Amino acid sequence: MEGFRRRTPEELLYTIFQLQKGRLKIYIGAVSGSGKTYHMLREGQALKRQGIDVVLCAVSTMQRPETARQLEGLERIPSIHWMKGDAEKKDLNLEALLQRNPEVVLVDGLAHRNREGAAHATRLEDIKALLNAGISVITTVNVYELEGATELARKLTGIEIKETVPNDTLELADEVRLIDATPEAILERISAGHMKASYRSLYERGNLGKLRELALRLVAEGVNETLEKHREENGLLGPSGAAERILVSVQYHWNGSIYVRRGQQIAKRLGGDLRIVSFVNPRVQLSNEAAAFKRSIIQLTAKVDGQFEEIPLSRRRMLPRELVHYAARNGVSRIVMGHSKMSAWQEWRKGSVVNGLLKRIRNVDLFFVADRADREGERILPTKSKREKETERYRRLSSLEVEEQIRKIRRGKFKVYIGAAPGVGKTYTMLREGNDLLKRGIDVVIGLLETHGRQETVAQIGELTVIPRKATSYRGSVLEEMDLEAILARNPEVVLVDELAHTNVPGSANSKRYEDVLELLNAGISVISTMNVQHLESLNDSVEQITGIRVRETVPDRMLRLADEVQLIDVAPSSLRQRMKEGQIYELGKVDQALRSFFKTGNLIALRELALREIADDVDERLESWERGGSLRGPWRRQETICVAITLSSNAERLIRRGFRIAHRLKAAWYVTFVQPGHQSEEETRLRLEKLLELTVRLGGKFEVQRAEHGKSIAGLLIAKADEYGGTQIIVGQSGRGFWHRLRHGNVVRTILRRARHMDVLVVADYDRHARLIEE
C-alpha cells in the first residue's frame, strides 16, 4: 500500500534536491600507502576519457612514482598551503572550486582539519558544500580516522589519532570502496623507498594486520546494512547466506547467562551479530529470583554487545512457532538454546519445544548447548589452553621434520588476488604487480592469462613474457591449457597464473590448476594467482544459497591458508554492473542474461559481504599465528573436537563443509562418521562413499564408516564414536524422514538430542532456496 501513497510537498522537494546534489565516493584503506590515492586518480583518468569534467585539489602523491604518473593530464586547482608547526598542510580552495564548477573533484584526506579562519573547520564540511552545489567528489580516508574505529585502533596499536570524521560519514557516501593491501605489500613499498612510514609503530606488521582486519569488517558491516535493506525492499525473509546472525533463546533461570556467553563466543568467532530473546507470559508476575536473573541477563547482553528483546507469549505450546517466526523476521542464521531436560514421556505429555522447532524450521540451524555441569562442573567461560612447554623449544627436530622445514624454505612464495565476482580487476592487478616486479629486475612470466577480451587488461601485459599454451586433443577438439612442463623448464622467479579454480582437460598431468600451482611452488617458483570467493570449497553451499547456482569448480580452503598473501579486490555492485553494461566484463550479447542471473544486485551485494568477511577471517587467523591475543576476535581457548554425522543424502557434502568451517574457526580436530545400516549393500554405497571420503580428506578431516544391525542403533553408535574421539560437538543434518520411517527405524536426530546432552549439538537445516522459511 505504501507505493500508492501520495508524496508530501516536503518529500517531493527533498527528492528534487537529491537529483541536483553531487555524488560522493569514498576510498577507504587500513593505512596511508594502501593505494587509495592511486585508485582515486586512476578513476579520475577513466572519467576524463569518458568526457567528464574532472579536476583535483589538495591531492598528495607522497612522491610515490606510480601514483604521481596518474596525475598526468588532470587539471589541478591550486590548494591553500599553510604551516602547522613544521608540517605543511593543504586546504581545499573552496571558492576557486565553486567558481570553476567541474563535474567531479578529486581530493585526498577526508579527515583533514582546516586552518583557523577558514570558511569551514573540516574538509568534510567543504565536501558537503561542493555536493550541495551539484559537484561530485571522490575522496580518501583511513579506517583509523573514523571516530567509531579510532578508539579501537588506539587500543590495538597505541596510536593517538588527532584528525577524525564522524561515525556516520561512510553512510553519507553513494559508494564506498575498500582498497585492501597486505602488510607484506605495504612493508615492501616502504623498503623499496616508494613511501615513508608516518608513524613507525603504526607500520609494524602486527598493527598493519589489525587495522586491515578492522577495515575489512567495517566495510562488511556497511555492506550488510545495504544487503538487509535490499532484501527488505524485495520482500525476502530469512538469512542471506553472507553473514551469521546468532539468536539465543533464554529463560530467566540460572543457566540463561551460560547460553548468552556461549552465543557470544559463537557470534564472535563467526563474525556475526548477537540477539537475545526471552518469551514470557504477561499474565504471570515474575518471581524475585526470575526478576534478578532477568536483570543479570540484560546487563550481560549489553556487556557482550548483543541486543535483548522480551516478547509476550501466553501459551508455552506456541513457543516453537513464535520463535521460528521471530528468526524469519530478523534474518537469523542460527538459534542457540539449552538441551531439553524432559524425558520422552514428558515431551509427549507436555509438548516439546525442541521437537516443535525441528518440525517447523527451515534454513536456520539449531545449536543446543551442552549441559556439562555433571561432568565438568558449572563453567561459563572456557578454560585457557596450556601454554607450549618450555622444553618443546629445545627438542631436537627429527630427520622428517628437518626435511619438511627445508621443503618450506625452498618453496616459492604464493600470493592470491580474490574478488567477489568476475570483472572486479583481479587479473588487471596481478599483471600490474608482475610489471612492477619486472622493472625491479625480477624474472616474471605469464603462465596462464584469461583476458576475456578486456582491452584494459590486455594493455597491462606490457613487457611480460607469455609462455605459450599447450594444445591437447580431447573428443575431436583441440583445447589449450597451461604448459606446466614448459614453465618448469623455463624456471622463472615468478609466474602469473590466472583462474586458480580451473579444471584441466582430462589427460593433463593434474586434474586441477591449483595442483599445477602446487608443483610450481614445490619447484621453488613463486606464483601470483587469482580466484573468486564463490570458488572456495567450504563456501560452496553459502554461494548456492545466495545465487541459486551450484559452483562446480572449487579450490580447497588449504590453498588460501598456504598462500603467503591473500589480497581482496573490492568493487561496489553498482560499479560492477555498470562495467557489465558497458561490455567491459563479458561480450555485449551475454550482458542481459548475466545481469538477470549471477550479476543481480542482491547477489553481488551478498557475495561482496561474503568476500569481505572471509578475508577478514583469514587476516584474523594470520594475526593469531603471529602473536597470541593479536586478533580482533580474540583467542578461542576451549579445546574442541567436532564430530560430523552424515547419511548418503545430497545434504552430506553440506554437512562436511560445515564441519570443516566450524573446526577451522575453532582450531579443532574434526571427524566424519557414516553409519551403514545392515539393509544397505556395499556396492550400493561404495561410489557415494568414495566421493564423501575424497571431500573430507581434501578439507583435512578424518572419515570413518561404522556398521549398524538396525536403524534404531545408529544414534547410539554415533554418540559412542563421538565419545571415543573426545567430541565436544556433534553436527547432524535436519531429518527429512517420514513418520512411518521414524517409527520403524527410529529418529536419529531426536535420539542424539536426548542422549548426548553432555555435548553441544548443531542441527544443520536443510536449505531450499524456493521453500518458505517455516512450515505452519
Side-chain angles (χ1 to χ4, degrees), residues 42 57 168 201 293 307 471 587 613 618 658:
R42 186 167 154 249
C57 185
D168 63 352
S201 61
F293 281 127
Q307 294 181 39
E587 296 174 3
R613 293 189 185 279
D618 179 78
R658 183 64 64 87

Side-chain angles (χ1 to χ4, degrees), residues 346-393:
Q346 288 173 320
E347 288 178 353
W348 181 83
R349 192 166 60 87
K350 295 182 179 181
S352 166
V353 172
V354 171
N355 291 344
L357 285 172
L358 291 172
K359 177 182 175 183
R360 287 176 170 83
I361 204 153
R362 295 289 181 272
N363 305 338
V364 177
D365 298 340
L366 297 174
F367 186 92
F368 298 92
V369 179
D371 181 4
R372 293 189 173 91
D374 291 340
R375 297 195 176 198
E376 304 173 15
E378 183 182 336
R379 185 174 77 234
I380 293 177
L381 291 175
T383 58
K384 291 186 178 181
S385 58
K386 295 178 182 178
R387 290 183 178 272
E388 179 187 14
K389 292 180 180 178
E390 194 71 23
T391 54
E392 192 70 16
R393 301 178 185 177

Side-chain angles (χ1 to χ4, degrees), residues 728-742:
T728 57
Q729 184 177 151
I730 294 181
I731 299 176
V732 294
Q734 189 173 8
S735 175
R737 305 292 191 183
F739 171 78
W740 292 111
H741 186 281
R742 294 198 303 269

Side-chain angles (χ1 to χ4, degrees), residues 229-269:
K229 183 179 178 182
H230 175 84
R231 288 173 62 81
E232 186 178 332
E233 289 172 351
N234 287 272
L236 299 172
L237 290 175
S240 68
E244 293 277 356
R245 175 163 291 163
I246 310 302
L247 174 66
V248 182
S249 174
V250 297
Q251 294 176 310
Y252 301 141
H253 191 255
W254 67 268
N255 58 14
S257 59
I258 295 178
Y259 302 153
V260 172
R261 283 288 189 184
R262 193 74 169 114
Q264 180 242 353
Q265 292 163 3
I266 294 168
K268 194 170 184 180
R269 205 67 197 167

Side-chain angles (χ1 to χ4, degrees), residues 679-726:
H679 61 83
Q680 281 185 338
S681 68
E682 287 194 18
E683 187 58 32
E684 180 184 348
T685 62
R686 184 177 59 82
L687 293 176
R688 180 78 176 123
L689 284 175
E690 284 177 2
K691 288 185 177 181
L692 298 176
L693 169 64
E694 181 189 357
L695 176 61
T696 303
V697 172
R698 194 162 71 235
L699 291 174
K702 295 180 180 177
F703 191 92
E704 186 168 354
V705 177
Q706 295 280 297
R707 295 186 180 279
E709 293 301 321
H710 192 276
K712 290 188 177 181
S713 62
I714 291 176
L717 284 169
L718 289 169
I719 295 170
K721 183 54 66 174
D723 284 334
E724 179 187 324
Y725 290 139

